[in-house]
Amino acid sequence: MEIKKGIAVSPGIAIAKCLVIDSEDYRIPRRSVGSNQLSGEVQRVRDAFKAAIRELSLMRGEYKRIDRSDIRDIFAVHLRFLRDKSLRSRITSMIENHSVTAEYAVSATLREIASSFTKVKDTYISERATDIYDIERRVLRQLLGSKREDVRSLTEEVAIAAKELSPTQTAGFDKKFVKALAADVGGRTSHAAIVARSMGIPAVVALEDLTETVSGGDTIIVDGNRGIVIVNPDNETLSKYEAYSVEFVEMEHKLDTLREKPATTRDGEHITLLGNIEFPDEAEMALEKGCEGIGLYRTEFLYLESDHEPTEEEHYQAYARTISFFRDKPVIVRTLDLGADKFTQSKRFSREPNPFLGLRSIRFCLQNLVMFKTQLHAILRASVLGDVSIMFPLITNLQELMQAKMILRDVMEDMDDEGIDYNRDIRVGIMIETPSSALTAYSLAQDVEFFSIGTNDLTQYTLAADRGNEQISTLYSPVDPAVLRLIRTVIQDAHKARIPISVCGEMASEPEYIMLLLGMGIRTLSLTPPMIPEVKQIIRSVTAEDCSRIARKTIGMNTERQISSFLRDATRRILPEAF
Ligand code: PEP
Ligand code: MG
């Protein structure tokens, strides 16, 4: 049994057989074979090693010709390893003693060796683990060839372990079979984590070397509440977790009974709870969880899941479907937020040295007008179907906002000429997710009808801490005093300018930050739908006065650690089950 600690990014507990996928999505399940197939599997190992040796020798010859001794040396090491008889006999004994497939025996044996290398203090030896993974990939390629199994066509329940998960890859997982996600890298507000949370799949990231520790077919426990992954648990741990899992499901059912109850504080202050969605299909779940509309529709996922640039009609259909669930309830459609960690399959973006500081989001739209206008046309067309608003992401200055609004007016004029109906009074808002927009919020407020604070990006840009990088995850916090000061300024400016304001970053889904946000004057939260019941429970347990007191105390504190622990204690007193 091995316990790995990471960052909890999506709540829930799952116990399942592990499926390790790498960037090539190889799938190596532990599969048993009958005794009459064992010699065949052993022969497959022999053939695969032979073919891998042949392939490497040819490549080595090539490099000999061009005189690259450094690369030749690496190949020589790999060849020596592949020719090592004791390695092969270790693999074949595994097949014979445990009746498993050739690919499973190769993967499990080589990963075990690599893992023992990584534990050695000598960096020369520990770095050799990468060579072993390289060898593993080479032999597996021989064994699996074109028959590589596809993670998109699963037939049994699994917990996926991956080095890194992309948002698109995560969105493509089949929820029926993928019961949990565990990744070596990533942060709490990385988009893959956000998608996992919206899909309600328990997930833990920042597990460092999990994929080097597990083999496909191992049993793993993914504890998305505590941020723990346990590999091959012993019986006692297994039973303990089976009990936790039942308790968690019971708590969720209990919270679901709040669905029909209002999100009103004990002293009668109503808080509007909206949902964040990525796909139209999530709208139904958001409603079931009791949201009063959509506060953030991340439309770029339409673009990410498709292998072509979505047509105007495809945009329209997606918006119309979402709106159809809500009728007269508000739906805020955020325009495309592509770039940074949200790339298209067609990789139309040129590589940038600093993608999060580069051509992303509204900046990308303003440089790709055909794409931008196509989306605006579709949103406007859908605007007559319900209560629709448009929200521009990542605005950094007033010119950018004016430019975006001018393009919107252009599209309106085109639609007038085309005789297409749309809502002329559609509300236009912006996300406040950069320090520059926070600091100039009052002036921006003169030209928009609402603000929504995107705390995920606001935190990363204020603290210069990448939201997806687990190595600086202790720095990245929305309750750092600097971030809180900016949030407070934006709320005050919105109130002064008399425009509505909400928070739609992940901060609004975190139980321990709810009282603080209410205390700072927020009355609308847009959050990941599975967290709505828990957040509602907190709202119903406090008074607006309690929240103001908490906010006043927090604002006077000077360190993130002090603020975090103060908020955690305050929330724990109100809702102990949340911890
Ligand atoms: C944010 O940055 O807080 C936000 C809600 O947008 P996204 O997470 O999609 O970047
Ligand atoms: Mg953002």
Side-chain angles (χ1 to χ4, degrees):
M1 176 167 100
E2 186 150 359
I3 301 176
K4 317 255 346 149
K5 183 94 189 76
I7 302 173
V9 295
S10 178
I13 290 164
I15 305 169
K17 292 277 181 232
C18 182
L19 172 68
V20 186
I21 59 172
D22 62 16
S23 53
E24 294 171 66
D25 273 8
Y26 275 137
R27 182 189 167 200
I28 319 294
R30 181 184 180 119
R31 219 182 261 140
S32 301
V33 289
S35 54
N36 56 343
Q37 290 166 282
L38 294 181
S39 59
E41 291 303 296
V42 170
Q43 187 57 43
R44 287 183 64 222
V45 172
R46 269 194 217 118
D47 294 345
F49 268 76
K50 244 195 240 161
I53 289 171
R54 211 167 34 241
E55 186 182 83
L56 256 182
S57 307
L58 274 173
M59 287 168 73
R60 189 166 168 240
E62 279 293 301
Y63 282 97
K64 212 176 210 159
R65 266 197 314 109
I66 58 169
D67 198 25
R68 284 289 307 267
S69 62
D70 49 346
I71 299 180
R72 253 182 13 241
D73 289 350
I74 297 173
F75 287 165
V77 173
H78 286 206
L79 274 170
R80 215 172 308 134
F81 206 82
L82 282 166
R83 289 187 177 124
D84 180 352
K85 286 212 173 61
S86 67
L87 169 68
R88 231 165 313 161
S89 78
R90 208 165 139 179
I91 295 172
T92 49
S93 329
M94 184 168 198
I95 295 177
E96 285 158 356
N97 298 337
H98 300 280
S99 305
V100 289
T101 56
E103 38 278 56
Y104 179 75
V106 166
S107 176
T109 309
L110 288 171
R111 274 169 192 250
E112 206 177 298
I113 296 171
S115 167
S116 63
F117 276 20
T118 50
K119 288 188 185 119
V120 176
K121 287 247 162 15
D122 181 327
T123 44
Y124 177 80
I125 298 181
S126 62
E127 279 167 9
R128 297 286 70 74
T130 352
D131 290 304
I132 309 291
Y133 291 121
D134 217 22
I135 292 167
E136 182 205 7
R137 259 196 299 276
R138 189 175 300 284
V139 180
L140 286 178
R141 229 176 3 245
Q142 296 299 337
L143 278 169
L144 295 162
S146 57
K147 304 193 304 305
R148 295 194 332 206
E149 290 179 74
D150 193 337
V151 73
R152 278 160 298 200
S153 51
L154 296 168
T155 52
E156 55 192 40
E157 292 189 352
V158 292
I160 286 187
K163 275 205 178 322
E164 185 171 13
L165 291 163
S166 76
T168 326
Q169 188 185 29
T170 309
F173 291 143
D174 183 348
K175 236 182 99 175
K176 199 159 120 220
F177 296 113
V178 176
K179 294 294 152 195
L181 302 172
D184 292 354
V185 301
R188 186 150 172 79
T189 65
S190 59
H191 284 101
I194 290 172
V195 174
R197 205 152 41 237
S198 309
M199 292 169 81
I201 303 179
V204 180
V205 301
L207 290 152
E208 292 182 350
D209 59 350
L210 174 77
T211 53
E212 291 159 23
T213 319
V214 286
S215 296
D218 285 348
T219 296
I220 63 169
I221 297 172
V222 178
D223 179 346
N225 301 338
R226 297 169 189 82
I228 288 171
V229 168
I230 304 170
V231 182
N232 290 325
D234 57 29
N235 288 339
E236 194 189 330
T237 311
L238 205 55
S239 340
K240 193 171 81 184
Y241 266 94
E242 278 160 357
Y244 278 164
S245 164
V246 172
E247 261 171 47
F248 184 76
V249 172
E250 278 170 3
M251 185 186 97
E252 287 214 307
H253 285 327
K254 210 166 86 196
L255 285 173
D256 276 346
T257 58
L258 290 177
R259 188 184 177 283
E260 304 299 337
K261 303 215 169 107
T264 305
T265 60
R266 279 180 22 233
D267 50 353
E269 194 77 53
H270 181 71
I271 310 300
T272 305
L273 294 182
L274 305 173
N276 291 352
I277 59 165
E278 285 74 40
F279 300 99
D281 286 349
E282 287 171 286
E284 200 169 5
M285 193 254 268
L287 261 184
E288 274 165 21
K289 291 284 175 188
C291 78
E292 297 171 58
I294 295 298
L296 170 64
Y297 176 5
R298 291 183 164 100
T299 57
E300 58 279 4
F301 278 82
L302 174 70
Y303 205 91
L304 292 172
E305 67 169 355
S306 174
D307 56 3
H308 60 274
E309 183 153 341
T311 60
E312 198 266 356
E313 183 60 21
E314 283 168 330
H315 276 284
Y316 173 77
Q317 290 301 338
Y319 307 148
R321 182 164 156 68
T322 307
I323 297 160
S324 72
F325 291 107
F326 290 93
R327 296 202 189 98
D328 53 346
K329 291 188 173 127
V331 173
I332 300 179
V333 183
R334 176 176 78 181
T335 58
L336 297 167
D337 189 36
L338 290 162
D341 63 340
K342 286 181 283 196
F343 289 100
T344 60
Q345 279 89 339
S346 56
K347 301 213 171 30
R348 293 195 319 119
F349 300 90
S350 53
R351 280 196 176 280
E352 295 176 277
N354 283 309
F356 275 99
L357 299 181
L359 188 60
R360 64 168 293 210
S361 199
I362 193 72
R363 306 167 183 184
F364 183 72
C365 287
L366 293 176
Q367 287 194 27
N368 288 274
L369 290 187
V370 175
M371 179 193 80
F372 192 31
K373 285 185 167 183
T374 302
Q375 175 176 40
L376 293 174
H377 195 281
I379 302 174
L380 285 174
R381 193 143 73 92
S383 67
V384 293
L385 306 174
D387 176 4
V388 180
S389 305
I390 292 180
M391 179 159 73
F392 297 126
L394 206 80
I395 292 289
T396 39
N397 60 44
L398 188 59
Q399 289 104 276
E400 216 168 32
L401 169 62
M402 296 320 251
Q403 227 181 320
K405 282 181 67 173
M406 194 179 73
I407 291 158
L408 178 66
R409 268 196 306 274
D410 278 356
V411 177
M412 286 179 166
E413 278 168 20
D414 290 347
M415 290 175 77
D416 286 336
D417 293 345
E418 291 158 355
I420 300 173
D421 199 16
Y422 63 89
N423 175 10
R424 274 157 214 287
D425 302 318
I426 190 164
R427 279 186 303 276
V428 175
I430 56 170
M431 293 188 69
I432 300 289
E433 39 187 0
T434 58
S436 64
S437 61
L439 293 167
T440 55
Y442 187 69
S443 121
L444 292 167
Q446 310 310 311
D447 284 285
V448 289
E449 283 147 296
F450 64 93
F451 281 162
S452 191
I453 308 181
T455 50
N456 305 337
D457 277 318
L458 184 61
T459 304
Q460 101 166 325
Y461 292 127
T462 305
L463 301 172
D466 181 343
R467 61 194 266 185
N469 185 343
E470 70 288 353
Q471 296 180 73
I472 40 82
S473 62
T474 47
L475 255 185
Y476 180 94
S477 168
V479 293
D480 182 281
V483 184
L484 287 185
R485 252 161 242 182
L486 286 180
I487 293 176
R488 190 176 54 164
T489 306
V490 177
I491 297 171
Q492 286 168 347
D493 285 348
H495 288 167
K496 205 157 56 166
R498 297 181 187 282
I499 60 165
I501 179 157
S502 64
V503 172
C504 67
E506 296 312 292
M507 187 182 188
S509 308
E510 303 277 354
E512 65 254 50
Y513 302 148
I514 302 304
M515 285 190 278
L516 171 63
L517 289 175
L518 303 193
M520 291 205 298
I522 290 291
R523 290 294 176 268
T524 304
L525 298 168
S526 188
L527 59 154
T528 182
M531 291 305 290
I532 290 175
E534 210 162 313
V535 167
K536 197 189 264 188
Q537 168 93 322
I538 291 180
I539 293 168
R540 291 175 57 81
S541 313
V542 297
T543 62
E545 189 40 47
D546 292 337
C547 296
S548 305
R549 208 171 31 247
I550 281 177
R552 275 197 302 276
K553 272 200 171 165
T554 307
I555 289 292
M557 294 177 181
N558 293 322
T559 69
E560 191 278 337
R561 189 174 289 186
Q562 212 182 352
I563 297 172
S564 267
S565 84
F566 170 68
L567 294 177
R568 204 169 308 124
D569 288 347
T571 315
R572 191 177 277 139
R573 274 196 298 276
I574 290 189
L575 191 66
E577 315 84 283
F579 295 88

